[in-house]
């Protein structure tokens, strides 16, 4: 568990089922690298303002605990090949994206499935065979959705 922590550098969660829980904010000046079911979980209402979350391979997990509202600030970037953004258990969770969420490695798939999702930033599928699937209803979008170079965004 990281509680109100500042990380200078990268946080690498690529060993099978590695997991970190973030409470009361994470100040990041590097990249969270996720793969092999490596998981970053946010618990409690918070804003993640800067840094990057990278889905390095095929199975990174970015989750929210029940009762959590997470705001990804305008400078936040979530990107990479394949992974899932989801509720970690039953209960209401809300994700607000003000930054960039992108699947940008050819053949990659990103599933977005919290119980509530609001996009005021940018969602992007960029590259041959890339797919972003927004599985959340309600999905509120006042931002930008980009399908580039053969990428597809599937939404309700």
């Amino acid at each position: 568990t990281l509680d109100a922590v500042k990380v200078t550098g990268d946080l690498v969660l690529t060993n099978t089922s590695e997991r970190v829980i973030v409470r009361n904010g994470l100040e990041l000046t590097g990249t969270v690298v996720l793969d092999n079911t490596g998981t970053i979980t946010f618990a409690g209402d918070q804003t993640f303002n800067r840094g990057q979350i990278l889905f390095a391979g095929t199975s990174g997990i970015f989750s929210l605990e029940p009762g959590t509202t997470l705001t990804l600030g305008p400078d936040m970037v979530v990107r990479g090949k394949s992974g899932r953004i989801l509720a970690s258990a039953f209960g209401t969770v809300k994700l607000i994206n003000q930054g960039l969420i992108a699947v940008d490695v050819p053949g990659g798939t990103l599933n977005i499935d919290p119980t509530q999702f609001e996009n005021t930033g940018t969602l992007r599928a960029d590259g041959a065979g890339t797919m972003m699937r927004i599985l959340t209803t309600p999905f509120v979008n006042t931002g930008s959705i980009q399908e580039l170079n053969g990428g597809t965004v599937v939404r309700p």
Side-chain angles (χ1 to χ4, degrees), residues 97 99-101 119-124 139 141-146:
N97 176 51
L100 170 66
I101 299 176
N119 178 55
T120 61
T122 302
L123 303 176
R124 179 182 301 149
F139 167 57
N141 179 54
T142 57
S144 172
I145 297 177
Q146 302 172 349

Side-chain angles (χ1 to χ4, degrees), residues 64 85-87 92-96 110-119 123 132-141 154-156:
L64 308 172
I85 301 173
L86 50 84
T92 301
V93 300
K94 183 174 185 178
L95 178 65
I96 301 169
L110 177 60
N111 291 329
I112 302 175
D113 193 21
T115 56
Q116 298 175 8
F117 182 36
E118 179 181 321
N119 178 55
L123 303 176
M132 179 180 293
R133 291 190 291 224
I134 301 165
L135 305 170
T136 303
T137 46
F139 167 57
V140 177
N141 179 54
V154 178
R155 56 192 176 270

Side-chain angles (χ1 to χ4, degrees), residues 125-130 147-151:
D126 185 0
T130 59
E147 297 175 312
L148 306 172
N149 304 308

Side-chain angles (χ1 to χ4, degrees), residues 2 7 9-13 20 22 26 28 30-34 40:
L2 301 177
V7 175
D10 296 338
L11 182 59
V12 180
L13 303 168
V20 66
V22 177
L26 171 62
L28 178 67
T31 300
V32 176
V33 181
L34 302 172
I40 186 166

Side-chain angles (χ1 to χ4, degrees), residues 35-49:
D35 197 10
N36 295 318
T37 66
T39 303
I40 186 166
T41 301
F42 288 83
D45 296 349
Q46 49 194 306
T47 299
F48 197 17
N49 280 317

